[in-house]
Amino acid sequence: MASEKSSNAKTGHKFQRSGFSYEQLIRFFFASNAGLSIVILTLIIAFLLKEGLGFFPGYRRDLETYRIAGLEFVDISRNNLTAHEQLTSLLNRAYYAEVNGKSSRELKRTEEASALYNAFTDQVGPTRDLILNNPQAETDGNAGMKAALLNNYEKQREKALQKPLSTPHLTNEERQQLIESLRARPPEATDDPPLVAALAQEFVAAQQKHAAPLQEFRTVIDDFESAGFDLGSIVMEMTESVTVTKEQLQTADILEKDRKTLLAAASGEKDPVERERLLADAHAALADKPDVETPMQALLERKPECVRLHEELKTASSAAFDKIPQSLTESDAKRILSAARKAWPVFITDLDMAPGKINAWKHTDPVPLSDAFMSFLTGKKWVTGGEWQDFYGILPLAIGSLMIAMIALSIAIPVSISAAIYVNHFAKPREQALVKPIIEFIQAIPSVVLGFVGILVFGTILREISVMDAFQWVPGFPIEERLNIFTAGCLLALMSIPTIFSLAEDALNNVPSAYAEASEALGASHVQTAFRVMIPASFSGILAAILLGFGRVIGETMVVLLVAGNRIKIPDFSEGLGAFFQPSHTLTGIIAQELGEVPLGSVHYRALFVVGIVLFAVVLGINATAHHFVNRAKK
Amino acid sequence: MNDLQEIPTASKTSTTSVDIRNVSFNYGNTQALKDITLDVRRNEVTAFIGPSGCGKSTLLRCINRMNDEIVGTRITHGEIVVDGINIHDPSVDVVKLRRDVGMVFQKSNPFPSSIYENVAYGLRMRGERDKAVLDQSVHESLQAAALWDEVKDRLNESALGLSGGQQQRLCIARTIAVKPTVVLMDEPCSALDPIATAKVEDLIWTLKNDYTFIIVTHNMQQAARVSDKTAFFYMGGLIEFGETKRMFSSPSVKKTEEYITGRFG
């Protein structure tokens, strides 16, 4: 400011300011570096917004096509049909669970015998192959060699029979019989040992025996299934016609886009000849508007038929569903059947609402931009690259990210904060010098390596634990997928422990030691001092540590991509806490997985950018909150 | 009131409160105190004076074993007896010792909680839950520390909102709330302005009927004003110990005279 004022002093006086000083140069150097980072951040945000915001108009057009072409109309019937298929599959599963559960003794017996037999053949396999597939031994009639190979085989056989697998469901006699039959087995034999074959037959017989009383249930399931056939065939017909319309619309869109590009090029072109040529091209590209009205009228004429078929489906499936057995005896079957009973009222309500929806549906309803917004923010489906219709709903990803973060934090917070308290208040100096670097060392493990360990070690161990009888009370056990929310959460906990630990330890360290002295001088014990004075005083700092850990968990990509299972579906909360053992996808994972494969500038590409913006905003918000707490702690 | 072991009847009547016998103390390999012998009387104010690094604060912190917290320090020789009990005896619980030997620090250090909680802290840590007992103790202690009238309307406000002098008096209130027999003060007024200093000195003077005070100070006038006895330390050794009046008028050692008159220090 001062330099801008005009000077009244004579030049050359003894306090004269000399031009551009060395100090200013240094100042400029540092200022430019600080400025650079701000510029880069601004550029990143600008880029994200530029790429991302184009998503909503594009997605709106997609949804419009979805409506104009009639896909939306078909989906009303289609969704109900899918629900019906899922119910059928549940009933089938319940049926087989009941039959197999009742034959479980036979199942185990045949499994154990086969396992023993298979282990035996695996072990003697190589030596046996040598005897059977040795052309030299055949042609030369080399008796010595043959004998040596046979001898080798017998040795291997005895070795294999020394410690056969355990077979708790076979009687000792049966076991002995099986082992003897294996011992007496000639190398060239190919048929199963008699006991194995007999047990397999026993199992089939048991299945048949137990299926007999369930004959009625079987018929009911078949009736239930066939109730959907009529609706299925009409949906298939409609699907074909609307897909054609949709493709026409999309082609027209692409041509239109090309034409606009040509026109833009023409208006910028200075050479009149060239411009004429471009304009002519643009005119040529002017596509006829595809005829959507005719197929649409044909589709709308099917409304009454659709309504009728819905009502028929309802009547037929209700009649069948009423006849299913009140209860089954096997626990697995009971569980599946009750899941089906839970899904039933939802299905029926949807069926009841369908005729109304079908009649009210209009292909001319406009699709406002807000629909694209809402469909993105509250959409329960993220479907891409399908032949039918792409949906970009962020909900399954956001829920996956949040559930993983919940697991990670509920493990990491107690562990890392207790560790920080221990190191800061109770550890001896030597322990302190040991524990702190070790915990912080976890940070040095590259996340891809951690993910690797997660898949191979942790996922496998978790699944093995989940099938143990002792842990069946845990909701969601036995787990179906080795890679799931819980596995990812555990690994992320491991990754966030060093972050939370370091920051929490710093926060505890920043509490003035005068508080500790005062407290101890008042006759408080060490534990009392730690818990009544030191930890409360560092509360803000600890909260900030937790928030920053949360930010790290939400933003982590590699581990979740490798370990979370990557199923894009909102977990099924009907299992309660068991939902945490289902696979899931995440906000970060979807970007990493799909960005490399999408066409540049497509709606899908832009959708991923919007997911990036959401992620950016969330992490920014978390860090800002954490910052606020850190500042409060400093006061 | 005494949480230490059974007190021999002889020591109850004795006028000696803290008896320091031939104590030597090391920080690592550096000897900080050399063979100190000193006898602090009950209900008297004893001042420790001396130049920086002479060991007076070290000796003070030995009396409630605050030096235990510093790694590498130890008493190499001698013993300290409080109310007839050797405080380094293996059977002594240092937490109980500190309930009887309270301490006020150089820099006021109230906890970041309310005024009420600061004063009630010591009793709470002792397991006192009765609200009435706590209320009374807070009232009495604040009154004894001449702070009650200033803070009675804002007991639930943060102690960090008080002025420096008020904070230091709050620390004194907090210390006497647990009814110690000895109160150690480590330069309690060094961070205070003259008016606040005068208030704290008055406080010491009025409280000495109930407590034994040992006060470390750099301020010669303060020592002269508040103490009954003065001990002068130099280079880890006790140079002179005696009645304050006599020491300040006619010191028997030349070094003491030089220090008191400001020739060095």
Side-chain angles (χ1 to χ4, degrees):
Chain A
M1 279 290 145
S3 61
E4 284 164 18
K5 280 184 194 160
S6 62
S7 163
N8 294 328
K10 256 191 265 170
T11 51
H13 59 81
K14 69 173 184 173
F15 301 133
Q16 174 79 49
R17 178 198 296 274
S18 61
F20 194 61
S21 74
Y22 179 63
E23 285 204 7
Q24 276 174 311
L25 196 72
I26 291 182
R27 186 175 167 276
F28 178 74
F29 173 76
F30 285 100
S32 63
N33 279 302
L36 188 67
S37 44
I38 294 175
V39 168
I40 290 176
L41 183 68
T42 320
L43 283 178
I44 290 175
I45 296 175
F47 175 67
L48 271 179
L49 290 179
K50 176 184 154 286
E51 293 292 320
L53 291 185
F55 163 74
F56 293 104
Y59 189 32
R60 190 203 71 81
R61 177 65 194 159
D62 265 15
L63 291 177
E64 197 174 50
T65 311
Y66 176 62
R67 178 164 295 168
I68 293 175
L71 273 72
E72 193 179 40
F73 177 73
V74 180
D75 260 350
I76 300 173
S77 311
R78 218 165 123 111
N79 289 340
N80 288 327
L81 201 62
T82 317
H84 180 257
E85 277 164 12
Q86 280 168 351
L87 267 173
T88 314
S89 129
L90 274 179
L91 291 179
N92 267 321
R93 275 171 59 201
Y95 172 80
Y96 285 113
E98 177 80 0
V99 173
N100 286 341
K102 282 195 169 157
S103 330
S104 70
R105 185 171 165 272
E106 287 80 4
L107 180 64
K108 276 182 186 146
R109 280 161 61 82
T110 176
E111 273 176 358
E112 280 166 11
S114 306
L116 193 152
Y117 168 55
N118 287 337
F120 170 78
T121 39
D122 283 352
Q123 218 169 344
V124 300
T127 51
R128 178 167 164 266
D129 287 352
L130 278 178
I131 300 174
L132 298 181
N133 308 324
N134 197 329
Q136 241 187 339
E138 288 287 320
T139 49
D140 294 359
N142 187 337
M145 189 171 185
K146 243 185 180 171
L149 285 174
L150 201 62
N151 187 23
N152 194 12
Y153 167 76
E154 278 163 6
K155 246 195 230 162
Q156 193 64 34
R157 185 183 66 196
E158 286 313 308
K159 207 172 141 198
L161 290 179
Q162 253 167 24
K163 264 193 185 170
L165 292 178
S166 70
T167 50
H169 292 86
L170 296 187
T171 63
N172 269 340
E173 276 165 42
E174 282 169 332
R175 180 178 166 83
Q176 223 44 54
Q177 184 197 342
L178 180 61
I179 290 171
E180 284 315 315
S181 72
L182 288 177
R183 182 165 286 141
R185 193 176 163 80
E188 61 275 12
T190 52
D191 55 335
D192 287 344
L195 186 74
V196 174
L199 286 177
Q201 273 179 0
E202 186 184 297
F203 174 56
V204 173
Q207 266 185 320
Q208 279 169 354
K209 188 184 108 197
H210 290 121
L214 290 170
Q215 196 54 49
E216 200 186 336
F217 187 25
R218 183 69 259 165
T219 328
V220 168
I221 295 174
D222 291 343
D223 287 351
F224 189 84
E225 189 171 6
S226 55
F229 287 168
D230 289 343
L231 188 62
S233 57
I234 189 177
V235 164
M236 206 126 91
E237 284 166 29
M238 293 195 295
T239 300
E240 268 172 36
S241 83
V242 296
T243 316
V244 172
T245 321
K246 186 192 168 192
E247 269 165 20
Q248 284 172 347
L249 277 170
Q250 278 177 337
T251 321
D253 274 356
I254 293 171
L255 284 174
E256 177 65 17
K257 209 172 150 195
D258 287 354
R259 199 174 71 86
K260 277 189 182 148
T261 320
L262 283 170
L263 282 176
S267 66
E269 184 60 58
K270 281 175 188 143
D271 179 14
V273 182
E274 186 67 5
R275 188 191 308 181
E276 277 309 308
R277 200 184 60 73
L278 284 171
L279 280 177
D281 279 356
H283 266 289
L286 183 59
D288 298 329
K289 276 222 159 172
D291 176 27
V292 291
E293 277 305 316
T294 323
M296 179 51 68
Q297 286 314 319
L299 196 65
L300 292 179
E301 276 162 24
R302 285 174 183 262
K303 269 187 180 182
E305 197 183 351
C306 280
V307 171
R308 180 176 59 79
L309 287 176
H310 265 92
E311 273 153 11
E312 279 179 21
L313 173 62
K314 190 187 163 194
T315 329
S317 53
S318 300
F321 201 82
D322 284 343
K323 276 189 262 171
I324 60 171
Q326 278 311 306
S327 73
L328 300 170
T329 49
E330 296 301 317
S331 66
D332 265 5
K334 271 186 199 161
R335 190 171 55 79
I336 299 170
L337 193 63
S338 76
R341 282 194 201 284
K342 244 189 229 171
W344 174 251
V346 183
F347 172 65
I348 282 297
T349 327
D350 283 354
L351 276 189
D352 282 340
M353 276 158 57
K357 272 193 201 165
I358 289 171
N359 286 323
W361 187 83
K362 274 203 213 94
H363 68 291
T364 47
D365 280 350
V367 181
L369 196 59
S370 60
D371 273 16
F373 263 114
M374 292 316 287
S375 169
F376 176 74
L377 288 179
T378 61
K380 293 176 187 160
K381 278 195 242 169
W382 179 280
V383 184
T384 57
E387 294 187 349
W388 181 248
Q389 172 71 27
D390 288 357
F391 288 105
Y392 305 99
I394 203 174
L395 225 48
L397 308 173
I399 289 177
S401 278
L402 272 182
M403 286 175 73
I404 290 176
M406 272 165 70
I407 291 280
L409 288 184
S410 57
I411 296 172
I413 290 172
V415 172
S416 49
I417 289 182
S418 311
I421 290 172
Y422 176 75
V423 166
N424 200 273
H425 287 299
F426 302 111
K428 299 190 187 91
R430 259 186 53 208
E431 289 174 318
Q432 223 169 24
L434 192 73
V435 175
K436 222 174 135 174
I438 288 180
I439 293 182
E440 280 163 3
F441 180 75
I442 300 174
Q443 239 161 359
I445 307 174
S447 59
V448 67
V449 175
L450 207 60
F452 192 68
V453 174
I455 294 175
L456 291 178
V457 182
F458 191 70
T460 312
I461 291 178
L462 184 71
R463 190 164 60 181
E464 276 169 16
I465 289 177
S466 81
V467 295
M468 286 181 190
D469 290 339
F471 290 104
Q472 289 315 306
W473 52 269
V474 180
F477 274 21
I479 56 175
E480 280 159 26
E481 298 288 337
R482 196 165 54 123
L483 303 180
N484 55 44
I485 292 173
F486 185 77
T487 336
C490 287
L491 287 179
L492 280 192
L494 193 61
M495 294 190 66
S496 58
I497 281 173
T499 311
I500 302 180
F501 168 80
S502 293
L503 292 167
E505 217 264 337
D506 282 352
L508 288 167
N509 233 347
N510 284 340
V511 178
S513 60
Y515 292 165
E517 274 194 333
S519 167
E520 291 189 355
L522 283 170
S525 69
H526 202 79
V527 174
Q528 285 175 324
T529 303
F531 284 95
R532 301 295 287 269
V533 178
M534 306 305 274
I535 295 169
S538 62
F539 187 72
S540 294
I542 291 178
L543 208 60
I546 292 173
L547 279 172
L548 287 171
F550 180 50
R552 174 153 168 75
V553 166
I554 282 280
E556 167 58 36
T557 309
M558 206 60 220
V559 164
V560 293
L561 189 62
L562 286 171
V563 186
N566 299 350
R567 185 180 72 178
I568 312 175
K569 196 183 157 205
I570 295 177
D572 177 13
F573 289 102
S574 64
E575 284 189 56
L577 288 178
F580 284 104
F581 292 101
Q582 292 170 11
S584 168
H585 218 310
T586 54
L587 295 170
T588 48
I590 201 91
I591 299 178
Q593 191 180 25
E594 296 186 345
L595 197 58
E597 296 162 9
V598 294
L600 213 66
S602 66
V603 175
H604 185 185
Y605 167 86
R606 292 182 192 282
L608 293 178
F609 268 88
V610 183
V611 173
I613 292 173
V614 169
L615 204 56
F616 180 72
V618 168
V619 176
L620 195 72
I622 292 171
N623 284 4
T625 321
H627 204 73
H628 167 78
F629 281 117
V630 169
N631 280 346
R632 217 174 68 176
K634 276 185 188 153
K635 271 176 202 163
Chain B
M1 206 60 269
N2 199 309
D3 280 318
L4 297 179
Q5 295 170 330
E6 204 60 24
I7 305 161
T9 32
S11 72
K12 264 188 184 165
T13 53
S14 135
T15 52
T16 297
S17 174
V18 180
D19 191 6
I20 299 164
R21 297 173 190 157
N22 306 94
V23 166
S24 296
F25 182 85
N26 272 24
Y27 282 113
N29 291 324
T30 325
Q31 193 171 15
L33 293 175
K34 295 168 194 158
D35 195 27
I36 309 282
T37 300
L38 183 68
D39 166 30
V40 177
R41 294 294 174 87
R42 200 176 292 280
N43 299 352
E44 276 186 358
V45 179
T46 305
F48 288 0
I49 60 169
S52 295
C54 67
K56 55 193 189 303
S57 288
T58 304
L59 180 62
L60 190 77
R61 293 169 64 94
C62 280
I63 298 170
N64 68 345
R65 285 179 56 182
M66 282 303 275
N67 284 329
D68 287 11
E69 314 298 324
I70 302 164
V71 179
T73 62
R74 64 187 195 285
I75 289 201
T76 49
H77 185 257
E79 58 186 27
I80 297 173
V81 177
V82 174
D83 290 335
I85 294 140
N86 177 2
I87 62 167
H88 285 97
D89 191 275
S91 65
V92 168
D93 181 350
V94 67
V95 168
K96 289 182 179 170
L97 167 72
R98 287 175 190 160
R99 291 176 188 172
D100 261 33
V101 185
M103 189 163 190
V104 176
F105 296 86
Q106 179 174 4
K107 195 168 167 289
S108 58
N109 52 359
F111 301 123
S113 52
S114 70
I115 295 169
Y116 182 95
E117 283 307 318
N118 262 279
V119 182
Y121 181 81
L123 281 181
R124 278 198 201 278
M125 289 309 105
R126 210 157 295 189
E128 184 60 64
R129 293 237 173 70
D130 189 342
K131 181 85 170 106
V133 175
L134 289 174
D135 282 350
Q136 201 195 350
S137 158
V138 169
H139 184 180
E140 281 174 7
S141 310
L142 284 173
Q143 217 152 31
L147 197 59
W148 176 254
D149 291 335
E150 292 163 58
V151 301
K152 64 181 174 202
D153 298 326
R154 45 173 176 154
L155 289 178
N156 291 319
E157 286 173 33
S158 169
L160 300 181
L162 296 174
S163 74
Q166 286 174 325
Q167 286 193 7
Q168 193 62 298
R169 276 180 286 149
L170 178 67
C171 291
I172 295 173
R174 182 173 73 180
T175 306
I176 59 182
V178 296
K179 300 228 170 5
T181 55
V182 183
V183 177
L184 309 175
M185 297 181 134
D186 191 357
E187 299 184 45
C189 302
S190 66
L192 302 184
D193 63 67
I195 295 169
T197 303
K199 279 190 180 168
V200 172
E201 285 174 7
D202 285 349
L203 193 59
I204 294 171
W205 202 244
T206 43
L207 288 174
K208 85 168 190 173
N209 293 330
D210 300 319
Y211 305 95
T212 307
F213 281 98
I214 304 176
I215 173 166
V216 165
T217 178
H218 269 295
N219 184 333
M220 241 35 68
Q221 285 78 22
Q222 185 171 55
R225 280 194 300 265
V226 301
S227 68
D228 299 303
K229 296 243 177 66
T230 299
F232 172 58
F233 293 84
Y234 184 65
M235 305 275 281
L238 176 63
I239 306 297
E240 190 173 350
F241 175 53
E243 293 284 335
T244 303
K245 274 182 202 150
R246 184 194 57 74
M247 265 195 44
F248 277 81
S249 53
S250 54
S252 52
V253 184
K254 184 122 199 320
K255 208 82 198 170
T256 317
E257 189 188 343
E258 281 175 7
Y259 180 72
I260 289 170
T261 51
R263 219 77 60 78
F264 73 96

